[in-house]
Amino acid sequence: MNGVKVENLLINYKTLEKFKRFKEYGNQELSMYEDLQNKFIENNSKSPFYGVYIGENLIARMSLYEVDKKYDYYFEPQQDYVAIWKLEVLPDYQGRGYGKTMVDFAKSFTLPIKTSPRINSHGFWEKMGFDKAHYEMERDLGENPLIWLPAGVKEKETHPAE
């Protein structure tokens, strides 16, 4: 998509107002409005929020977190990775490639990516090259995570009980 750019969203009142539109017209369960309020520091330039604008309208957004390898349960050897959280495109703009643009931006970090997709979004993530994570954890977090691996990165393998 020519001319479409993913921007790091400033944490300020203007962004807070843009997020209200998502809460009212987007998917309620994906609202990042409360997340933004919890991290509110006027014009914090290093926010975890990214978005796509058309003119002055924020039409797609996501939270993108870099995770330290000490918290890695998905890749072998343990390594830093990116977690996509709450990717959302406003209904009037869905099916036009904006979600793909957001995912491609996350892939540009050239780190493994983990996401926990919402119900009925597995098809989208599969098109983006994500697969089910295979890992062992002491407890199931109920996430059903999907992962994407850049070239040369290995996923942890599960080992059946002997």
Side-chain angles (χ1 to χ4, degrees):
M1 297 181 68
N2 291 338
V4 175
K5 180 179 149 196
V6 176
E7 300 178 30
N8 187 230
L9 302 177
L10 296 176
I11 298 178
N12 60 26
Y13 287 106
K14 183 179 178 183
T15 303
L16 195 61
E17 288 301 313
K18 303 277 186 195
F19 276 21
K20 285 182 182 178
R21 181 168 180 222
F22 281 84
K23 183 174 185 174
E24 293 168 6
Y25 302 108
N27 292 313
Q28 292 280 341
E29 74 278 8
L30 296 181
S31 174
M32 290 189 287
Y33 183 74
E34 289 82 12
D35 290 350
L36 183 62
Q37 283 181 316
N38 293 335
K39 295 183 180 355
F40 197 85
I41 301 170
E42 188 66 30
N43 283 326
N44 178 355
S45 62
K46 185 60 178 160
S47 83
F49 306 110
Y50 294 85
V52 172
Y53 283 90
I54 292 184
E56 293 292 315
N57 296 317
L58 180 64
I59 57 99
R61 65 187 180 160
M62 71 178 162
S63 296
L64 189 65
Y65 296 93
E66 292 184 58
V67 180
D68 188 276
K69 66 183 175 184
K70 67 183 173 185
Y71 302 108
D72 174 15
Y73 299 106
Y74 308 99
F75 309 101
E76 185 64 51
Q78 284 186 309
Q79 56 199 290
D80 296 341
Y81 68 94
V82 175
I84 296 176
W85 186 250
K86 300 180 181 178
L87 173 69
E88 183 179 12
V89 178
L90 286 176
D92 289 346
Y93 297 92
Q94 292 175 4
R96 299 184 190 178
Y98 296 111
K100 180 183 183 320
T101 297
M102 300 289 277
V103 172
D104 288 346
F105 175 80
K107 288 179 177 180
S108 75
F109 284 64
T110 65
L111 291 172
I113 301 172
K114 178 236 168 216
T115 191
S116 297
R118 66 178 213 249
I119 297 171
N120 300 325
S121 69
H122 284 298
F124 168 79
W125 292 105
E126 288 172 2
K127 287 180 191 175
M128 298 298 108
F130 284 69
D131 295 307
K132 287 185 179 181
H134 301 286
Y135 63 94
E136 290 184 61
M137 291 182 65
E138 291 180 17
R139 60 189 175 97
D140 179 12
L141 300 176
E143 293 180 340
N144 299 314
L146 298 177
I147 59 170
W148 174 83
L149 302 168
V153 175
K154 293 184 180 181
E155 176 185 9
K156 283 188 177 183
E157 296 180 22
T158 56
H159 301 285
E162 298 187 32

